[in-house]
Amino acid sequence: MRLTLITPARMKSEPCRELVVEYVKRANRYRPMAHEELSLPRQSTSPESAALVQRMARATPRHKLVILDERGKLMDSRKFAETLERWRDDSVGEVLFAVGGTHGYSEELKKQAHMLWSLSPLTMPHELAATVAAEQIYRALTLMAGHPYHND
């Protein structure tokens, strides 16, 4: 199962960008993971949605789309790891984690997602959300690999 963290355009916050790169690097010890920055079309009313639809066209046949949204499903780290573990066991080929930007994603696209995932009910900049998501994906992979978890 390949994991891809998708963010809109280039991350402007260098500290957040460096952390995302670091967590993606760490995650690759357990599963193939990549970070992709979408190229946003200027003419679209919802550029993030248009770019994500284009990216989904390149997804593997057995993929899951997870859109990060403050109104999505809240999960603790253990529950999130169990979700990824179930998808892995179900032979999901790729999981796309899409972080929205200023315009977010259209309601139509959110309905196509396999899951709306909330990191918090708070609204946060996409760079920060991407950083937290990358860390949680890495943490889930370590839990799946049987590493000790400090909350156990």
CSV table of all heavy atoms in Angstrom, one decimal, residues 20-81:
chain,number,residue,atom,x,y,z
A,20,VAL,N,7.6,17.9,7.1
A,20,VAL,CA,6.9,17.0,6.2
A,20,VAL,C,7.9,16.1,5.5
A,20,VAL,O,7.7,14.9,5.5
A,20,VAL,CB,6.0,17.7,5.2
A,20,VAL,CG1,5.5,16.8,4.1
A,20,VAL,CG2,4.8,18.4,6.0
A,21,VAL,N,9.0,16.7,5.0
A,21,VAL,CA,10.0,15.9,4.3
A,21,VAL,C,10.6,14.8,5.3
A,21,VAL,O,10.8,13.7,4.9
A,21,VAL,CB,11.1,16.8,3.8
A,21,VAL,CG1,12.3,16.0,3.3
A,21,VAL,CG2,10.6,17.6,2.6
A,22,GLU,N,10.8,15.3,6.5
A,22,GLU,CA,11.4,14.3,7.5
A,22,GLU,C,10.5,13.2,7.8
A,22,GLU,O,10.9,12.0,7.9
A,22,GLU,CB,11.8,15.1,8.8
A,22,GLU,CG,12.3,14.2,9.9
A,22,GLU,CD,13.6,13.5,9.6
A,22,GLU,OE1,14.4,14.0,8.7
A,22,GLU,OE2,13.9,12.4,10.2
A,23,TYR,N,9.2,13.5,8.1
A,23,TYR,CA,8.2,12.4,8.4
A,23,TYR,C,8.0,11.5,7.2
A,23,TYR,O,7.8,10.3,7.4
A,23,TYR,CB,6.9,13.0,9.0
A,23,TYR,CG,7.1,13.4,10.4
A,23,TYR,CD1,6.9,14.7,10.8
A,23,TYR,CD2,7.4,12.5,11.4
A,23,TYR,CE1,7.0,15.1,12.1
A,23,TYR,CE2,7.6,12.9,12.7
A,23,TYR,CZ,7.4,14.2,13.1
A,23,TYR,OH,7.6,14.6,14.4
A,24,VAL,N,8.0,12.0,6.0
A,24,VAL,CA,7.8,11.2,4.8
A,24,VAL,C,9.0,10.2,4.7
A,24,VAL,O,8.9,9.1,4.4
A,24,VAL,CB,7.6,12.0,3.6
A,24,VAL,CG1,7.8,11.2,2.3
A,24,VAL,CG2,6.3,12.7,3.6
A,25,LYS,N,10.2,10.8,5.0
A,25,LYS,CA,11.5,10.0,4.9
A,25,LYS,C,11.4,8.9,6.0
A,25,LYS,O,11.7,7.7,5.7
A,25,LYS,CB,12.7,10.9,5.2
A,25,LYS,CG,14.0,10.2,5.2
A,25,LYS,CD,15.1,11.2,5.4
A,25,LYS,CE,16.2,10.6,6.1
A,25,LYS,NZ,17.2,11.6,6.5
A,26,ARG,N,10.9,9.2,7.2
A,26,ARG,CA,10.8,8.2,8.2
A,26,ARG,C,9.7,7.1,7.9
A,26,ARG,O,9.9,5.9,8.1
A,26,ARG,CB,10.4,8.8,9.6
A,26,ARG,CG,11.5,9.7,10.2
A,26,ARG,CD,11.0,10.2,11.5
A,26,ARG,NE,11.9,11.2,12.1
A,26,ARG,CZ,11.8,11.7,13.3
A,26,ARG,NH1,10.7,11.4,14.0
A,26,ARG,NH2,12.6,12.6,13.7
A,27,ALA,N,8.6,7.6,7.3
A,27,ALA,CA,7.5,6.7,7.0
A,27,ALA,C,8.0,5.7,5.9
A,27,ALA,O,7.5,4.5,5.9
A,27,ALA,CB,6.3,7.5,6.4
A,28,ASN,N,8.9,6.1,5.0
A,28,ASN,CA,9.4,5.2,4.0
A,28,ASN,C,10.1,4.0,4.5
A,28,ASN,O,10.3,3.0,3.7
A,28,ASN,CB,10.2,6.0,3.0
A,28,ASN,CG,9.4,6.5,1.9
A,28,ASN,OD1,8.9,5.8,1.0
A,28,ASN,ND2,9.2,7.8,1.9
A,29,ARG,N,10.5,4.0,5.7
A,29,ARG,CA,11.1,2.8,6.3
A,29,ARG,C,10.1,1.7,6.5
A,29,ARG,O,10.4,0.5,6.6
A,29,ARG,CB,11.7,3.1,7.7
A,29,ARG,CG,12.8,4.1,7.7
A,29,ARG,CD,13.3,4.4,9.1
A,29,ARG,NE,14.0,5.6,9.2
A,29,ARG,CZ,14.1,6.4,10.2
A,29,ARG,NH1,13.4,6.2,11.3
A,29,ARG,NH2,14.8,7.5,10.2
A,30,TYR,N,8.8,2.0,6.5
A,30,TYR,CA,7.7,1.1,6.7
A,30,TYR,C,6.8,0.8,5.5
A,30,TYR,O,6.4,-0.3,5.3
A,30,TYR,CB,6.9,1.5,7.9
A,30,TYR,CG,7.7,1.7,9.1
A,30,TYR,CD1,8.1,3.0,9.5
A,30,TYR,CD2,8.0,0.7,10.0
A,30,TYR,CE1,8.9,3.2,10.6
A,30,TYR,CE2,8.7,0.9,11.1
A,30,TYR,CZ,9.2,2.1,11.4
A,30,TYR,OH,9.9,2.3,12.5
A,31,ARG,N,6.6,1.9,4.7
A,31,ARG,CA,5.7,1.8,3.6
A,31,ARG,C,6.2,2.9,2.6
A,31,ARG,O,6.6,3.9,3.0
A,31,ARG,CB,4.2,2.1,3.9
A,31,ARG,CG,3.5,1.1,4.7
A,31,ARG,CD,2.7,0.2,3.7
A,31,ARG,NE,2.3,-1.0,4.4
A,31,ARG,CZ,2.4,-2.2,3.9
A,31,ARG,NH1,2.9,-2.4,2.7
A,31,ARG,NH2,2.0,-3.2,4.6
A,32,PRO,N,6.0,2.6,1.3
A,32,PRO,CA,6.3,3.7,0.3
A,32,PRO,C,5.4,4.9,0.6
A,32,PRO,O,4.2,4.8,0.7
A,32,PRO,CB,6.0,3.1,-1.0
A,32,PRO,CG,6.0,1.6,-0.8
A,32,PRO,CD,5.5,1.4,0.6
A,33,MET,N,6.0,6.1,0.8
A,33,MET,CA,5.2,7.3,1.0
A,33,MET,C,5.8,8.4,0.2
A,33,MET,O,7.1,8.5,0.1
A,33,MET,CB,5.1,7.6,2.5
A,33,MET,CG,4.3,8.9,2.7
A,33,MET,SD,4.0,9.1,4.5
A,33,MET,CE,3.1,10.7,4.4
A,34,ALA,N,5.0,9.3,-0.3
A,34,ALA,CA,5.5,10.5,-1.0
A,34,ALA,C,4.7,11.7,-0.6
A,34,ALA,O,3.6,11.6,-0.1
A,34,ALA,CB,5.3,10.2,-2.5
A,35,HIS,N,5.2,12.8,-0.9
A,35,HIS,CA,4.6,14.1,-0.7
A,35,HIS,C,4.5,14.8,-2.0
A,35,HIS,O,5.5,14.9,-2.7
A,35,HIS,CB,5.3,15.0,0.3
A,35,HIS,CG,4.8,16.4,0.4
A,35,HIS,ND1,5.6,17.5,0.4
A,35,HIS,CD2,3.5,16.9,0.4
A,35,HIS,CE1,4.9,18.6,0.5
A,35,HIS,NE2,3.6,18.2,0.5
A,36,GLU,N,3.3,15.1,-2.4
A,36,GLU,CA,3.1,15.8,-3.7
A,36,GLU,C,2.4,17.1,-3.5
A,36,GLU,O,1.4,17.2,-2.8
A,36,GLU,CB,2.2,15.0,-4.7
A,36,GLU,CG,2.8,13.7,-5.1
A,36,GLU,CD,1.9,12.9,-6.0
A,36,GLU,OE1,0.9,13.4,-6.6
A,36,GLU,OE2,2.2,11.7,-6.2
A,37,GLU,N,2.9,18.1,-4.2
A,37,GLU,CA,2.3,19.5,-4.1
A,37,GLU,C,1.6,19.7,-5.5
A,37,GLU,O,2.2,19.6,-6.5
A,37,GLU,CB,3.4,20.5,-3.9
A,37,GLU,CG,4.1,20.4,-2.6
A,37,GLU,CD,5.3,21.2,-2.4
A,37,GLU,OE1,6.1,21.3,-3.3
A,37,GLU,OE2,5.5,21.8,-1.3
A,38,LEU,N,0.3,20.0,-5.3
A,38,LEU,CA,-0.5,20.1,-6.5
A,38,LEU,C,-0.2,21.4,-7.3
A,38,LEU,O,0.1,22.4,-6.7
A,38,LEU,CB,-2.0,20.2,-6.1
A,38,LEU,CG,-2.6,18.9,-5.6
A,38,LEU,CD1,-4.1,19.1,-5.1
A,38,LEU,CD2,-2.5,17.7,-6.5
A,39,SER,N,-0.3,21.3,-8.6
A,39,SER,CA,-0.2,22.5,-9.4
A,39,SER,C,-1.6,23.0,-9.6
A,39,SER,O,-2.4,22.4,-10.2
A,39,SER,CB,0.5,22.1,-10.7
A,39,SER,OG,0.5,23.3,-11.6
A,40,LEU,N,-1.9,24.2,-9.1
A,40,LEU,CA,-3.3,24.7,-9.1
A,40,LEU,C,-3.5,25.5,-10.3
A,40,LEU,O,-2.8,26.5,-10.6
A,40,LEU,CB,-3.5,25.6,-7.8
A,40,LEU,CG,-3.3,24.9,-6.5
A,40,LEU,CD1,-3.6,25.8,-5.3
A,40,LEU,CD2,-4.1,23.6,-6.3
A,41,PRO,N,-4.6,25.2,-11.0
A,41,PRO,CA,-5.0,26.0,-12.2
A,41,PRO,C,-5.6,27.3,-11.7
A,41,PRO,O,-6.3,27.4,-10.7
A,41,PRO,CB,-6.1,25.1,-12.8
A,41,PRO,CG,-6.7,24.3,-11.7
A,41,PRO,CD,-5.5,24.1,-10.8
A,42,ARG,N,-5.2,28.4,-12.4
A,42,ARG,CA,-5.7,29.7,-12.1
A,42,ARG,C,-7.1,30.0,-12.4
A,42,ARG,O,-7.7,30.9,-11.8
A,42,ARG,CB,-4.8,30.8,-12.7
A,42,ARG,CG,-3.3,30.7,-12.2
A,42,ARG,CD,-2.5,31.8,-12.8
A,42,ARG,NE,-1.1,31.6,-12.5
A,42,ARG,CZ,-0.5,32.2,-11.5
A,42,ARG,NH1,-1.2,32.9,-10.6
A,42,ARG,NH2,0.8,32.0,-11.2
A,43,GLN,N,-7.6,29.4,-13.4
A,43,GLN,CA,-9.0,29.7,-14.0
A,43,GLN,C,-10.1,29.0,-13.3
A,43,GLN,O,-11.2,29.3,-13.5
A,43,GLN,CB,-9.0,29.4,-15.5
A,43,GLN,CG,-8.0,30.1,-16.3
A,43,GLN,CD,-8.1,31.6,-16.2
A,43,GLN,OE1,-9.1,32.2,-16.1
A,43,GLN,NE2,-6.9,32.3,-16.2
A,44,SER,N,-9.8,28.1,-12.4
A,44,SER,CA,-10.9,27.4,-11.7
A,44,SER,C,-11.4,28.1,-10.5
A,44,SER,O,-10.7,28.8,-9.8
A,44,SER,CB,-10.3,26.0,-11.3
A,44,SER,OG,-11.3,25.3,-10.6
A,45,THR,N,-12.8,27.9,-10.2
A,45,THR,CA,-13.4,28.5,-9.0
A,45,THR,C,-13.0,27.7,-7.8
A,45,THR,O,-13.0,28.2,-6.7
A,45,THR,CB,-14.9,28.5,-9.1
A,45,THR,OG1,-15.4,27.2,-9.4
A,45,THR,CG2,-15.4,29.5,-10.2
A,46,SER,N,-12.6,26.4,-8.0
A,46,SER,CA,-12.1,25.6,-6.9
A,46,SER,C,-10.8,24.9,-7.4
A,46,SER,O,-10.9,23.8,-7.8
A,46,SER,CB,-13.2,24.6,-6.5
A,46,SER,OG,-12.7,23.8,-5.5
A,47,PRO,N,-9.7,25.7,-7.4
A,47,PRO,CA,-8.5,25.1,-8.0
A,47,PRO,C,-8.0,23.9,-7.3
A,47,PRO,O,-7.5,23.0,-7.9
A,47,PRO,CB,-7.5,26.3,-7.8
A,47,PRO,CG,-8.0,27.2,-6.8
A,47,PRO,CD,-9.5,27.0,-6.8
A,48,GLU,N,-8.2,23.8,-6.0
A,48,GLU,CA,-7.7,22.6,-5.3
A,48,GLU,C,-8.5,21.3,-5.7
A,48,GLU,O,-8.0,20.3,-6.0
A,48,GLU,CB,-7.9,22.7,-3.7
A,48,GLU,CG,-6.8,23.6,-3.1
A,48,GLU,CD,-7.2,25.1,-3.0
A,48,GLU,OE1,-8.3,25.4,-3.6
A,48,GLU,OE2,-6.5,25.9,-2.5
A,49,SER,N,-9.8,21.5,-5.9
A,49,SER,CA,-10.7,20.4,-6.4
A,49,SER,C,-10.3,20.0,-7.8
A,49,SER,O,-10.1,18.8,-8.1
A,49,SER,CB,-12.2,20.8,-6.3
A,49,SER,OG,-12.6,20.9,-5.0
A,50,ALA,N,-10.1,20.9,-8.7
A,50,ALA,CA,-9.7,20.6,-10.0
A,50,ALA,C,-8.4,19.9,-10.1
A,50,ALA,O,-8.2,18.9,-10.8
A,50,ALA,CB,-9.7,21.9,-10.9
A,51,ALA,N,-7.4,20.3,-9.3
A,51,ALA,CA,-6.1,19.7,-9.3
A,51,ALA,C,-6.1,18.3,-8.7
A,51,ALA,O,-5.5,17.4,-9.2
A,51,ALA,CB,-5.1,20.6,-8.6
A,52,LEU,N,-6.9,18.1,-7.7
A,52,LEU,CA,-7.0,16.8,-7.0
A,52,LEU,C,-7.7,15.8,-7.9
A,52,LEU,O,-7.3,14.7,-8.0
A,52,LEU,CB,-7.8,16.9,-5.7
A,52,LEU,CG,-7.9,15.6,-4.9
A,52,LEU,CD1,-6.5,15.0,-4.6
A,52,LEU,CD2,-8.6,15.8,-3.6
A,53,VAL,N,-8.7,16.2,-8.7
A,53,VAL,CA,-9.4,15.3,-9.7
A,53,VAL,C,-8.4,14.9,-10.7
A,53,VAL,O,-8.3,13.7,-11.0
A,53,VAL,CB,-10.6,16.0,-10.3
A,53,VAL,CG1,-11.1,15.3,-11.5
A,53,VAL,CG2,-11.7,16.2,-9.3
A,54,GLN,N,-7.5,15.8,-11.2
A,54,GLN,CA,-6.5,15.4,-12.1
A,54,GLN,C,-5.5,14.4,-11.5
A,54,GLN,O,-5.1,13.4,-12.1
A,54,GLN,CB,-5.7,16.6,-12.6
A,54,GLN,CG,-6.5,17.5,-13.5
A,54,GLN,CD,-5.7,18.7,-13.9
A,54,GLN,OE1,-4.7,19.1,-13.3
A,54,GLN,NE2,-6.2,19.4,-14.9
A,55,ARG,N,-5.1,14.6,-10.2
A,55,ARG,CA,-4.2,13.7,-9.5
A,55,ARG,C,-4.8,12.3,-9.3
A,55,ARG,O,-4.2,11.3,-9.4
A,55,ARG,CB,-3.8,14.3,-8.2
A,55,ARG,CG,-3.0,13.4,-7.3
A,55,ARG,CD,-1.8,12.8,-8.0
A,55,ARG,NE,-1.0,11.9,-7.2
A,55,ARG,CZ,-1.2,10.5,-7.2
A,55,ARG,NH1,-2.2,10.0,-7.9
A,55,ARG,NH2,-0.5,9.8,-6.5
A,56,MET,N,-6.1,12.3,-9.0
A,56,MET,CA,-6.8,11.0,-8.8
A,56,MET,C,-6.8,10.2,-10.0
A,56,MET,O,-6.9,9.0,-10.0
A,56,MET,CB,-8.2,11.3,-8.3
A,56,MET,CG,-8.3,11.7,-6.8
A,56,MET,SD,-9.9,12.2,-6.2
A,56,MET,CE,-11.0,11.0,-6.8
A,57,ALA,N,-6.8,10.8,-11.2
A,57,ALA,CA,-6.8,10.1,-12.4
A,57,ALA,C,-5.5,9.2,-12.6
A,57,ALA,O,-5.5,8.2,-13.3
A,57,ALA,CB,-6.9,11.0,-13.6
A,58,ARG,N,-4.5,9.6,-11.8
A,58,ARG,CA,-3.2,8.8,-11.8
A,58,ARG,C,-3.1,7.8,-10.7
A,58,ARG,O,-2.1,7.1,-10.5
A,58,ARG,CB,-2.0,9.7,-11.8
A,58,ARG,CG,-1.9,10.7,-13.0
A,58,ARG,CD,-0.6,11.4,-13.0
A,58,ARG,NE,0.0,11.8,-11.8
A,58,ARG,CZ,-0.3,13.0,-11.2
A,58,ARG,NH1,-1.0,13.9,-11.7
A,58,ARG,NH2,0.3,13.3,-10.0
A,59,ALA,N,-4.1,7.7,-9.9
A,59,ALA,CA,-4.1,6.8,-8.7
A,59,ALA,C,-4.2,5.4,-9.1
A,59,ALA,O,-4.7,5.1,-10.2
A,59,ALA,CB,-5.3,7.1,-7.8
A,60,THR,N,-3.7,4.5,-8.3
A,60,THR,CA,-3.8,3.1,-8.6
A,60,THR,C,-5.3,2.7,-8.6
A,60,THR,O,-6.2,3.3,-8.0
A,60,THR,CB,-3.1,2.2,-7.5
A,60,THR,OG1,-3.7,2.5,-6.2
A,60,THR,CG2,-1.6,2.6,-7.5
A,61,PRO,N,-5.6,1.5,-9.2
A,61,PRO,CA,-7.0,1.1,-9.3
A,61,PRO,C,-7.7,0.9,-7.9
A,61,PRO,O,-8.9,1.3,-7.8
A,61,PRO,CB,-7.0,-0.2,-10.1
A,61,PRO,CG,-5.7,-0.1,-10.8
A,61,PRO,CD,-4.8,0.7,-10.0
A,62,ARG,N,-7.0,0.4,-7.0
A,62,ARG,CA,-7.6,0.2,-5.6
A,62,ARG,C,-7.0,1.2,-4.7
A,62,ARG,O,-6.2,1.0,-3.9
A,62,ARG,CB,-7.2,-1.2,-5.1
A,62,ARG,CG,-7.9,-2.3,-6.0
A,62,ARG,CD,-7.7,-3.7,-5.4
A,62,ARG,NE,-7.9,-3.8,-4.0
A,62,ARG,CZ,-9.1,-4.0,-3.4
A,62,ARG,NH1,-10.2,-4.2,-4.1
A,62,ARG,NH2,-9.2,-4.1,-2.1
A,63,HIS,N,-7.6,2.5,-4.8
A,63,HIS,CA,-7.1,3.5,-4.0
A,63,HIS,C,-8.2,4.0,-3.0
A,63,HIS,O,-9.4,3.7,-3.2
A,63,HIS,CB,-6.6,4.7,-4.8
A,63,HIS,CG,-7.8,5.6,-5.4
A,63,HIS,ND1,-8.4,5.2,-6.5
A,63,HIS,CD2,-8.3,6.7,-4.9
A,63,HIS,CE1,-9.4,6.1,-6.8
A,63,HIS,NE2,-9.4,7.0,-5.8
A,64,LYS,N,-7.8,4.7,-2.0
A,64,LYS,CA,-8.7,5.4,-1.1
A,64,LYS,C,-8.3,6.8,-1.1
A,64,LYS,O,-7.1,7.2,-1.0
A,64,LYS,CB,-8.5,4.8,0.4
A,64,LYS,CG,-8.9,3.4,0.5
A,64,LYS,CD,-10.4,3.2,0.7
A,64,LYS,CE,-10.7,1.7,1.0
A,64,LYS,NZ,-12.1,1.5,1.0
A,65,LEU,N,-9.3,7.7,-1.1
A,65,LEU,CA,-9.1,9.1,-1.0
A,65,LEU,C,-9.5,9.6,0.4
A,65,LEU,O,-10.7,9.4,0.8
A,65,LEU,CB,-9.9,9.9,-2.1
A,65,LEU,CG,-9.9,11.4,-1.9
A,65,LEU,CD1,-8.5,12.0,-2.1
A,65,LEU,CD2,-10.8,12.0,-3.0
A,66,VAL,N,-8.6,10.2,1.1
A,66,VAL,CA,-8.9,10.8,2.4
A,66,VAL,C,-8.7,12.3,2.3
A,66,VAL,O,-7.6,12.7,2.0
A,66,VAL,CB,-8.0,10.2,3.5
A,66,VAL,CG1,-8.2,10.8,4.9
A,66,VAL,CG2,-8.1,8.7,3.6
A,67,ILE,N,-9.8,13.0,2.6
A,67,ILE,CA,-9.7,14.5,2.5
A,67,ILE,C,-9.6,15.0,4.0
A,67,ILE,O,-10.5,14.6,4.8
A,67,ILE,CB,-10.8,15.1,1.7
A,67,ILE,CG1,-10.7,14.7,0.3
A,67,ILE,CG2,-10.9,16.6,1.9
A,67,ILE,CD1,-11.8,15.3,-0.6
A,68,LEU,N,-8.7,15.8,4.3
A,68,LEU,CA,-8.6,16.4,5.6
A,68,LEU,C,-9.6,17.5,5.7
A,68,LEU,O,-9.6,18.4,4.8
A,68,LEU,CB,-7.2,16.9,5.9
A,68,LEU,CG,-6.3,15.7,6.4
A,68,LEU,CD1,-5.8,14.9,5.3
A,68,LEU,CD2,-5.1,16.3,7.2
A,69,ASP,N,-10.4,17.5,6.7
A,69,ASP,CA,-11.5,18.5,6.8
A,69,ASP,C,-11.9,18.6,8.3
A,69,ASP,O,-12.0,17.6,9.0
A,69,ASP,CB,-12.7,18.0,6.0
A,69,ASP,CG,-13.8,19.0,6.0
A,69,ASP,OD1,-14.5,19.2,7.0
A,69,ASP,OD2,-14.0,19.7,5.0
A,70,GLU,N,-12.0,19.8,8.8
A,70,GLU,CA,-12.2,20.0,10.3
A,70,GLU,C,-13.6,19.4,10.7
A,70,GLU,O,-13.8,19.1,11.9
A,70,GLU,CB,-12.1,21.4,10.7
A,70,GLU,CG,-13.2,22.3,10.1
A,70,GLU,CD,-12.8,23.0,8.9
A,70,GLU,OE1,-11.8,22.6,8.2
A,70,GLU,OE2,-13.5,24.0,8.5
A,71,ARG,N,-14.5,19.1,9.7
A,71,ARG,CA,-15.8,18.5,10.0
A,71,ARG,C,-15.7,17.0,9.8
A,71,ARG,O,-16.8,16.3,9.9
A,71,ARG,CB,-16.9,19.1,9.2
A,71,ARG,CG,-17.1,20.6,9.6
A,71,ARG,CD,-18.1,21.3,8.6
A,71,ARG,NE,-17.6,21.3,7.2
A,71,ARG,CZ,-16.8,22.2,6.7
A,71,ARG,NH1,-16.3,23.1,7.4
A,71,ARG,NH2,-16.4,22.1,5.4
A,72,GLY,N,-14.6,16.4,9.6
A,72,GLY,CA,-14.4,15.0,9.3
A,72,GLY,C,-14.4,14.2,10.6
A,72,GLY,O,-14.7,14.7,11.7
A,73,LYS,N,-14.0,12.9,10.4
A,73,LYS,CA,-13.9,12.0,11.5
A,73,LYS,C,-12.7,12.2,12.4
A,73,LYS,O,-11.6,12.3,11.9
A,73,LYS,CB,-13.9,10.6,10.9
A,73,LYS,CG,-13.9,9.5,12.0
A,73,LYS,CD,-14.0,8.1,11.3
A,73,LYS,CE,-14.0,7.0,12.3
A,73,LYS,NZ,-14.2,5.7,11.7
A,74,LEU,N,-13.0,12.4,13.7
A,74,LEU,CA,-11.9,12.5,14.7
A,74,LEU,C,-11.4,11.1,15.1
A,74,LEU,O,-12.3,10.3,15.4
A,74,LEU,CB,-12.3,13.3,15.9
A,74,LEU,CG,-12.4,14.8,15.7
A,74,LEU,CD1,-13.1,15.5,16.9
A,74,LEU,CD2,-11.0,15.4,15.6
A,75,MET,N,-10.1,10.9,15.1
A,75,MET,CA,-9.6,9.6,15.6
A,75,MET,C,-8.4,9.8,16.4
A,75,MET,O,-7.6,10.7,16.1
A,75,MET,CB,-9.2,8.7,14.4
A,75,MET,CG,-10.4,8.2,13.5
A,75,MET,SD,-9.8,7.2,12.2
A,75,MET,CE,-9.2,8.5,11.0
A,76,ASP,N,-8.2,8.9,17.4
A,76,ASP,CA,-6.9,9.0,18.1
A,76,ASP,C,-5.9,8.2,17.3
A,76,ASP,O,-6.2,7.6,16.2
A,76,ASP,CB,-7.0,8.4,19.5
A,76,ASP,CG,-7.4,7.0,19.6
A,76,ASP,OD1,-7.3,6.2,18.6
A,76,ASP,OD2,-7.9,6.6,20.7
A,77,SER,N,-4.6,8.3,17.7
A,77,SER,CA,-3.6,7.7,16.8
A,77,SER,C,-3.7,6.2,16.7
A,77,SER,O,-3.5,5.7,15.6
A,77,SER,CB,-2.2,8.0,17.5
A,77,SER,OG,-2.0,9.4,17.5
A,78,ARG,N,-4.2,5.5,17.7
A,78,ARG,CA,-4.3,4.1,17.6
A,78,ARG,C,-5.5,3.7,16.6
A,78,ARG,O,-5.3,2.8,15.8
A,78,ARG,CB,-4.7,3.5,19.0
A,78,ARG,CG,-5.0,2.1,19.1
A,78,ARG,CD,-3.8,1.2,19.1
A,78,ARG,NE,-2.8,1.3,20.1
A,78,ARG,CZ,-1.6,0.9,20.0
A,78,ARG,NH1,-1.2,0.2,19.0
A,78,ARG,NH2,-0.7,1.1,21.0
A,79,LYS,N,-6.6,4.4,16.7
A,79,LYS,CA,-7.7,4.2,15.8
A,79,LYS,C,-7.3,4.5,14.3
A,79,LYS,O,-7.7,3.7,13.4
A,79,LYS,CB,-8.9,5.0,16.2
A,79,LYS,CG,-10.2,4.7,15.5
A,79,LYS,CD,-10.6,3.3,15.8
A,79,LYS,CE,-12.0,3.1,15.9
A,79,LYS,NZ,-12.4,1.7,16.0
A,80,PHE,N,-6.6,5.5,14.1
A,80,PHE,CA,-6.1,5.8,12.8
A,80,PHE,C,-5.2,4.7,12.3
A,80,PHE,O,-5.3,4.3,11.1
A,80,PHE,CB,-5.3,7.2,12.8
A,80,PHE,CG,-4.8,7.6,11.5
A,80,PHE,CD1,-5.6,7.8,10.4
A,80,PHE,CD2,-3.4,7.7,11.3
A,80,PHE,CE1,-5.1,8.1,9.1
A,80,PHE,CE2,-2.9,8.1,10.1
A,80,PHE,CZ,-3.7,8.3,9.0
A,81,ALA,N,-4.3,4.2,13.1
A,81,ALA,CA,-3.4,3.1,12.7
A,81,ALA,C,-4.3,1.9,12.4
A,81,ALA,O,-4.0,1.2,11.4
A,81,ALA,CB,-2.4,2.8,13.8
